[in-house]
Amino acid sequence: MAIEKNAKSKGRNAAPRSEKLPAEPLHGSAICPVAKKCGGCQLQGISYKKQLEKKHQLVKECVGDMRVLPPIGMEHPLHYRNKVHAAFGRDRKGSVISGVYESGTHRIVPVEHCMIEDERADAIIATIRGLLRSFKIKTYDEDSGYGLLRHVMVRTAHATGEILVVLVLASPILPAKNNFVKALRAAHPEITSVVLNVNDRHTSMVLGERNILLYGKGYIEDELCGNRYRISPNSFYQVNAVQTKVLYEKAIEYANLTGKETVIDAYCGIGTIGMTAAAHAKQVIGVELNPHAVKDAIANAKRNACKNITFYNEDAGDYMRKLAAVPKEAREKVDVVFMDPPRSGSSETFLDAVALLSPERVVYISCDPHTLGRDLDALRKKGYRPKECQPVDMFPYTDDIENIVLLEKTGSREQKREGSAKKTVGRPEIERTGKRNESKRKSGDAQSGDRGYQKELRKVRAAAGSRRPQAAKPKSGKRTH
């Protein structure tokens, strides 16, 4: 998704990066004719600046008492989706249509052009609609079970320009498949691979388990933070090419790696976060339940000559509990855990495993502020203190927002160094944590010999009356879940 090598991590106290925001061509009424039926772009009709403000407030309400930085937005927040899925069917007149399911239903809303999808993908899907008529290929009917073509998925690589087309069929047999592919590539020579995916089950899942290669390699390759990745039809890969680089750079910065750490990349997918971290750590362990993703991850490590990363095809929580069960003297200490769970958030089993392994830092990447807030509450109870949250807008014009949260274990060496540094500063900054035990700890530090700190603490409290300073206090403590 990106070409440049990941820059060296900046200091934690560096000012938040400034992003240029676009002119407001979409300010005002919705410009998409199917916006209300589709429901995919919930924030149409709202300027992009207002969208970021709205998302910032949502995150603050969900994550509780911690510092939440302003979201990092896109300069050009259109046509960013590198994975486009279209359902195929027929309208009342019998004409072939393709598009998205109407919100909450399985009725297809015809879509010609989408403001957030890759334009090359939309053009390819339009061509396939025409080819179905020429080759007399029937679309699949969910009610009767009759027909052949169910979906088309197009994946595009931002850095390399490669394009993968996945034809999802109810049967492994595509009539005149060679001629069909030849006609498709004649219209779109930029296509580098075509795969037939077999989904013969009555299910709401788009892809089946079986892939049949029709043209090319069967996958595409893209670049991210200096590494090259293989992306297969079933692999998870972030949908926004530009913002993924921003997201991973911030995650590595929060991890504060020195080259001596053992890192676990939980829910690792095809290994993108883990391999980015591997350049800065002693060793990385990637854990992923999806076997297709693990296969790609292993191939990616070999392709990039990344020798200090190992992948396991297991449930992340189960793997970590097994690791924690090994006596401490017989296993290497885990220093940092990256976790990037699905939208539903992490499981109680996984969070228990984190507490058992007791890493000094946890970097939590989440695409749902509500489940993030729930999991942060659980981690607080298990001895982890959320320090900072950086939202990254991966999904402009939708309700969704990606977030990165740094958590540190209470009493970790990092926090002790911070406490020590505060004692040596003439006029320390007082930070609101919202925790009574944190207040007692700071008071205890002052009473243990630093009268200057105690005097400064009294001054700040007196200036604010009976309350702590409000500078770092979130505007709202309301929880939406």
Side-chain angles (χ1 to χ4, degrees), residues 458-475:
R458 285 199 298 268
K459 282 184 181 180
V460 175
R461 285 177 175 169
S466 60
R467 298 176 298 170
R468 292 255 186 129
Q470 301 296 307
K473 182 179 179 180
K475 292 181 180 179

Side-chain angles (χ1 to χ4, degrees), residues 347-359:
S347 66
E348 190 67 27
T349 299
F350 179 86
L351 298 178
D352 286 342
V354 170
L356 287 171
L357 282 178
S358 191

Side-chain angles (χ1 to χ4, degrees), residues 270-285:
I270 62 173
T272 49
I273 297 175
M275 289 182 60
T276 304
H280 309 274
K282 178 183 176 182
Q283 65 172 330
V284 177
I285 300 168

Side-chain angles (χ1 to χ4, degrees), residues 51-297:
Q51 291 179 40
L52 295 179
E53 292 173 358
K54 181 181 178 71
K55 293 181 180 184
H56 190 201
Q57 184 60 34
L58 170 65
V59 176
K60 289 196 292 184
E61 291 174 353
C62 288
V63 301
D65 194 4
M66 64 179 296
R67 184 186 184 199
V68 180
L69 300 175
I72 299 175
M74 295 187 72
E75 185 173 357
H76 304 289
L78 299 175
H79 303 296
Y80 56 84
R81 286 192 63 92
N82 56 38
K83 178 182 175 182
V84 176
H85 156 243
F88 274 70
R90 292 183 180 272
D91 61 17
R92 294 179 179 178
K93 297 180 181 180
S95 301
V96 175
I97 60 172
S98 66
V100 298
Y101 290 120
E102 184 176 344
S103 181
T105 76
H106 263 220
R107 291 191 297 271
I108 296 175
V109 177
V111 176
E112 293 286 340
H113 306 285
C114 176
M115 59 181 279
I116 65 174
E117 293 175 351
D118 188 299
E119 293 176 290
R120 295 171 298 174
D122 284 347
I124 290 169
I125 291 168
T127 297
I128 292 174
R129 284 200 307 270
L131 290 177
L132 293 186
R133 290 190 289 268
S134 302
F135 283 82
K136 298 180 180 179
I137 296 174
K138 300 293 185 180
T139 59
Y140 181 77
D141 184 280
E142 288 185 337
D143 296 327
S144 66
Y146 177 76
L148 187 60
L149 182 69
R150 301 179 67 151
H151 309 273
V152 170
M153 186 174 72
V154 181
R155 307 191 76 156
T156 57
H158 178 72
T160 65
E162 295 183 1
I163 299 177
L164 169 65
V165 177
V166 183
L167 307 172
V168 185
L169 273 59
S171 162
I173 300 174
L174 175 63
K177 63 182 179 182
N178 292 335
N179 289 333
F180 185 91
V181 172
K182 186 182 293 185
L184 180 59
R185 290 201 66 251
H188 300 279
E190 65 273 21
I191 294 174
T192 55
S193 199
V194 181
V195 170
L196 188 160
N197 177 271
V198 183
N199 185 354
D200 55 3
R201 297 176 296 178
H202 295 284
T203 174
S204 60
M205 298 295 290
V206 174
L207 297 179
E209 293 295 319
R210 183 182 176 190
N211 291 313
I212 301 172
L213 180 62
L214 300 181
Y215 174 79
K217 301 176 292 186
Y219 57 87
I220 56 174
E221 295 183 4
D222 207 356
E223 295 179 3
L224 169 64
C225 297
N227 292 317
R228 195 173 181 91
Y229 295 99
R230 181 171 106 170
I231 307 160
S232 298
N234 303 74
S235 298
F236 170 79
Y237 197 57
Q238 295 282 3
V239 299
N240 189 323
V242 176
Q243 293 294 82
T244 297
K245 180 175 180 289
V246 176
L247 184 78
Y248 287 0
E249 284 179 349
K250 193 67 180 179
I252 298 300
E253 177 188 326
Y254 276 171
N256 194 27
L257 301 174
T258 65
K260 300 178 181 179
E261 295 84 4
T262 294
V263 175
I264 289 183
D265 178 13
Y267 313 96
C268 71
I270 62 173
T272 49
I273 297 175
M275 289 182 60
T276 304
H280 309 274
K282 178 183 176 182
Q283 65 172 330
V284 177
I285 300 168
V287 189
E288 170 61 47
L289 190 59
N290 184 337
H292 298 284
V294 173
K295 182 180 178 180
D296 282 348

